[in-house]
Amino acid sequence: MNGQNDILEALYRRMILVRFMEETHDRLLKEGKIQLMGHFGTGQEAVAVGVTGPLRQEDILFGTHRGVGEFIGKGMAPKDIWLEYMGKKDSPCHGKGGLHLCDRERNIPGLVATLGSDFSIAVGTALASKMKGTDQVTLYFVGEGTCNQADAHPSMCMAALWKLPIVFSVCTNQFCELSYMCDHYPTGDVAPRAAAYDIPFEIVDGQDIEKTYEATRKAVEHARGGNGPYLVEYKTYRMATHFSGDPGTYVNRDELEEWGRRDPIVLCREMLLERGILSEEEDRKLRDGIQAEVDEAVEAAFAAPDPGIEDLFKDVYSGEGVIQ
Ligand SMILES: Cc1ncc(C[n+]2csc(CCOP(=O)(O)OP(=O)(O)O)c2C)c(N)n1
């Protein structure tokens, strides 16, 4: 095994973990065992895992509402995710986060429901890192639909003007909620917008984990090296519907089938087998082990305590017990 192979295997493992976490969420929902709906990122695993692969623990990640990919990729523990999804007392947000995952230990500040309003917050964390002289990078992971929010432009402008250590990672999954990207964009690509602010950009195949990882590694290195922001756009496909209750009647079935043949996990698996990095038997064991890890985390979360009435106002305001 060389270093590259180890990285590839670790990324493959993470992609499977992401897929199994979301499949398990879907199953628990259908069985009526949990109430929290899901925005699954099926088919986008090579993007979410590839963009977070090159990050360090101290780097700051802004994730999206879609699935758990980037959160797992940044090192968030499955147990913490289930605790959060079930609103348990000992979850990272003490039961107040729900789908809006956050993890202070891993420098994941958390989602805001008003999509795009955290563009400028991410520029703020990058500015803070620069002012403090740390070598942290902020990675702003965002859907192409959200890039149409007005805040995108002043944020990119200021990031470029101040040469801030930030990477804009745009996940173009072809859909914006219940409609196609082409109904919102006169262009096929989002990335060239970066050129308006002299931000270098690249467009990569989002189904290929080696490409998503490598493009992000280069972008992160650029930002960490004091060269200012970088934007990468990853072309992928949302194989799930917008949310767990969406029947997806607007989805072109032929297109879905076509993209399904380029499932990023299947492609990575074939690559690992072909290169002799993994055998069929090792793959089976790996998958069994990962499902067992997910099931164990689910069980632990079910058994964990719920928050009490005394937790209601905790962490809502800075300082405890602000409301008298
Ligand atoms: C300001 C705002 N408008 C609308 C919504 C409702 N909404 C939730 S997800 C979503 C789609 C966003 O599309 P995209 O950024 O491409 O991400 P994707 O869902 O495709 O992963 C929308 C419009 C919202 N949360 N915030």
Side-chain angles (χ1 to χ4, degrees):
M1 283 281 199
N2 62 34
Q4 272 311 104
N5 289 352
D6 288 346
I7 293 174
L8 196 54
E9 217 182 327
L11 296 172
Y12 177 62
R13 191 190 184 286
R14 274 182 216 159
M15 286 199 289
I16 298 175
L17 178 55
V18 171
R19 178 75 57 93
F20 286 5
M21 286 284 286
E22 295 184 13
E23 283 177 356
T24 304
H25 184 166
D26 194 36
R27 180 175 51 78
L28 292 172
L29 204 56
K30 285 179 178 145
E31 289 171 358
K33 292 187 177 149
I34 61 173
Q35 278 78 44
L36 193 73
M37 61 91 161
H39 289 291
F40 303 123
T42 321
Q44 305 178 196
E45 294 86 352
V47 182
V49 168
V51 303
T52 42
L55 296 180
R56 298 177 185 164
Q57 164 111 357
E58 66 267 26
D59 291 333
I60 300 156
L61 170 75
F62 286 80
T64 81
H65 55 285
R66 187 150 304 286
V68 294
E70 64 272 29
F71 301 97
I72 292 281
K74 186 72 166 60
M76 206 169 166
K79 186 183 102 255
D80 284 340
I81 293 174
W82 292 117
L83 286 171
E84 196 64 68
Y85 281 2
M86 294 183 200
K88 298 292 183 157
K89 188 182 177 83
D90 298 326
S91 66
C93 291
H94 308 294
K96 296 185 181 74
L99 278 182
H100 302 113
L101 296 173
C102 123
D103 189 334
R104 291 180 88 166
E105 258 178 57
R106 288 168 190 83
N107 275 338
I108 303 171
L111 308 189
V112 283
T114 325
L115 290 181
S117 58
D118 53 359
F119 251 111
S120 52
I121 302 175
V123 171
T125 61
L127 176 61
S129 301
K130 182 163 180 168
M131 290 172 76
K132 287 198 255 170
T134 71
D135 65 355
Q136 287 165 301
V137 168
T138 292
L139 189 135
Y140 186 70
F141 189 48
V142 62
E144 85 275 32
T146 304
C147 290
N148 261 355
Q149 286 294 87
D151 268 8
H153 295 280
S155 300
M156 281 199 264
C157 181
M158 298 319 288
L161 189 66
W162 293 334
K163 275 197 174 317
L164 299 183
I166 182 164
V167 173
F168 298 105
S169 288
V170 181
C171 180
T172 295
N173 65 7
Q174 317 304 326
F175 293 96
C176 304
E177 208 170 32
L178 309 181
S179 54
Y180 275 90
M181 173 193 177
C182 58
D183 295 329
H184 302 256
Y185 278 88
T187 56
D189 303 320
V190 177
R193 292 178 177 192
Y197 306 104
D198 206 19
I199 297 177
F201 66 86
E202 192 178 343
I203 300 174
V204 294
D205 176 2
Q207 306 308 94
D208 183 332
I209 186 71
E210 281 189 307
K211 292 193 178 136
T212 58
Y213 178 86
E214 188 46 33
T216 315
R217 195 196 56 73
K218 204 173 86 186
V220 168
E221 207 169 272
H222 173 96
R224 205 183 306 283
N227 305 301
Y230 203 107
L231 187 148
V232 185
E233 180 178 3
Y234 311 82
K235 299 290 192 185
T236 184
Y237 195 82
R238 194 192 74 195
M239 282 161 57
T241 54
H242 174 56
F243 72 103
S244 43
D246 166 18
T249 45
Y250 53 88
V251 175
N252 177 325
R253 298 286 136 183
D254 295 337
E255 190 185 77
L256 176 64
E257 209 175 290
E258 200 178 305
W259 277 87
R261 285 194 283 275
R262 298 202 65 239
D263 181 322
I265 297 181
V266 174
L267 293 185
C268 185
R269 178 179 184 274
E270 283 167 1
M271 192 156 65
L272 289 166
L273 293 174
E274 245 169 54
R275 294 183 192 174
I277 300 171
L278 193 76
S279 67
E280 297 270 3
E281 175 60 12
E282 284 165 341
D283 185 44
R284 202 183 47 74
K285 278 198 188 137
L286 180 74
R287 284 165 184 262
D288 288 349
I290 294 171
Q291 189 60 59
E293 182 187 341
V294 173
D295 294 342
E296 205 176 294
V298 168
E299 285 313 310
F302 272 125
D306 291 319
I309 192 78
E310 71 283 2
D311 296 307
L312 199 56
F313 292 113
K314 269 192 197 157
D315 305 318
V316 175
Y317 300 96
S318 57
E320 288 209 356
V322 174
I323 293 188
Q324 303 295 329

